[in-house]
Structure formats: C-alpha cells, structure tokens
Amino acid sequence: MYGLGKATYAEAMEAGRKWVGKGFRTSRREGGSILISADGKRQFRIPKYKEKLNKYQANFESRNSNSGQWSNNGHLNIE
C-alpha cells in the first residue's frame, strides 16, 4: 500500500481509465464501481468515501497474474 498524492474526482477518473486501458470491463462487485483491465492485471476502484479515514480515496491496484490477490494498492486522495 502506498500513497499517490491528491487529485480531483475528474482527474482520478481520467487516470483510472488510463490505468486499466482500452477494453476494460466493470466488476459486478460493488455495483460496477471497479474497472478491470482487459488482461486482468490492473484494477481501478473509483473514488469512494472511507469512513475510517474521513476522506475520499481512489485505488489503483495491480498483480502479476490475471487472478488472485491484488499485490499492489496505490491510494489517491480526492480533494
């Protein structure tokens, strides 16, 4: 887990779409609020309010294969 700094909601959404790239799919989990890359190795969780942190964050996650646990998780704080 690591921090990625701060961005607006619109900036986070643009970066998230670029992170997963063309041909991404949406996850049925959490009402389609997760974008997953075509190869299944990157996912973007759209900005969501985190009660424990009292702020909005987006998550940029990656893994080495197209299944299993996400091994990297970058947090982007939303201003």
Side-chain angles (χ1 to χ4, degrees):
M1 294 174 56
Y2 49 92
L4 297 171
K6 298 177 183 178
T8 66
Y9 181 89
E11 291 167 335
M13 292 302 294
E14 180 179 351
R17 286 187 188 97
K18 288 180 180 179
W19 173 249
V20 296
K22 293 182 180 183
F24 71 84
R25 62 184 170 87
T26 57
S27 171
R28 292 182 190 155
R29 195 173 130 232
E30 297 187 35
S33 63
I34 300 173
L35 310 181
I36 303 171
S37 64
D39 67 2
K41 294 182 180 181
R42 293 174 314 284
Q43 88 172 4
F44 170 67
R45 289 191 285 140
I46 67 169
K48 182 177 178 182
Y49 184 72
K50 311 285 176 102
E51 280 191 45
K52 290 182 180 181
L53 302 173
N54 193 33
K55 60 183 162 187
Y56 283 85
Q57 277 187 335
N59 297 75
F60 294 76
E61 299 173 315
S62 66
R63 57 188 174 194
N64 293 327
S65 66
N66 64 359
S67 64
Q69 298 249 343
W70 298 98
S71 54
N72 299 299
N73 184 359
H75 301 125
L76 182 63
N77 293 327
I78 308 303
E79 299 180 316

